[in-house]
Amino acid sequence: IALRCVRKAPGERYPDVGALQADLQAWLDRAPVAARGNDARYRMALFSRRHALPMVLSAGFFAVMAIGAAIVVQQHRQARLEAQNAEVLSRLFERTLGAAALSSLGDAPLSSRALLADTERMLRAQAGQVGSTRMLARGLTTLARAYLIGGDYDKAERLAVEAKALGLDDRLQAVRT
């Protein structure tokens, strides 16, 4: 403002006292002054100074919304993965039970140990294809219970220890194991 007042060319100075007064009042109000021109960065800087609290609150709101959205997306992915794992385990155990039911109709029924060993083999193969240690841990926990009920405590303990090691990052799986 001061430099515009002392310019050599009269056309570059304020045309009257009212224009100078308007620029001085704009400067006091932290509003854009005519002497600075129409620079967008200057106008944005003044706008953000005049509205600092609402801008900080808006930025905080959008940050919270973004974090919330990221959490929701992560939980959705986790739930979808859990549902897929449960579906794979369900199909696996259905196939095993179906094989047991069919073998009991034949001449040589399947022993429960052979059935559990076959289920474990298929579980490990399926978990390897899907690449899910959580699914493997969950299936091994179920098999460990079956071996426990069958009286094979050593095998049940080995499977439970393996399931526990695989599911260390999942608290719910640790409780199941």
Side-chain angles (χ1 to χ4, degrees), residues 105-161:
L105 297 174
D107 293 337
L110 223 65
S111 75
S112 60
R113 288 194 195 275
L115 179 65
L116 290 174
D118 191 42
T119 303
E120 181 183 352
R121 181 189 53 74
M122 288 191 307
L123 171 68
R124 291 182 186 280
Q126 191 72 34
Q129 288 175 354
V130 176
S132 175
T133 57
R134 285 182 179 211
M135 184 184 78
L136 181 59
R138 199 170 187 181
L140 290 177
T141 300
T142 304
L143 285 173
R145 284 191 205 120
Y147 276 108
L148 186 65
I149 291 169
D152 191 348
Y153 303 118
D154 292 335
K155 181 70 173 182
E157 183 180 14
R158 281 195 305 273
L159 290 176
V161 167

Side-chain angles (χ1 to χ4, degrees), residues 1 4 14 17-37 42-43 45-47 49-50:
I1 294 173
R4 187 168 181 186
Y14 285 102
V17 175
L20 173 61
Q21 185 180 10
D23 255 6
L24 287 172
Q25 188 60 50
W27 179 77
L28 288 172
D29 294 339
R30 292 187 178 176
V33 295
R36 285 291 301 254
Y42 166 69
R43 289 181 172 283
L46 287 177
F47 180 83
R49 281 190 210 145
R50 279 193 318 269

Side-chain angles (χ1 to χ4, degrees), residues 34-67:
R36 285 291 301 254
N38 200 11
D39 182 26
R41 285 187 300 177
Y42 166 69
R43 289 181 172 283
M44 283 302 296
L46 287 177
F47 180 83
S48 59
R49 281 190 210 145
R50 279 193 318 269
H51 305 289
L53 182 62
M55 289 188 72
V56 167
L57 291 176
S58 296
F61 173 75
F62 286 115
V64 167
M65 291 297 287
I67 291 169

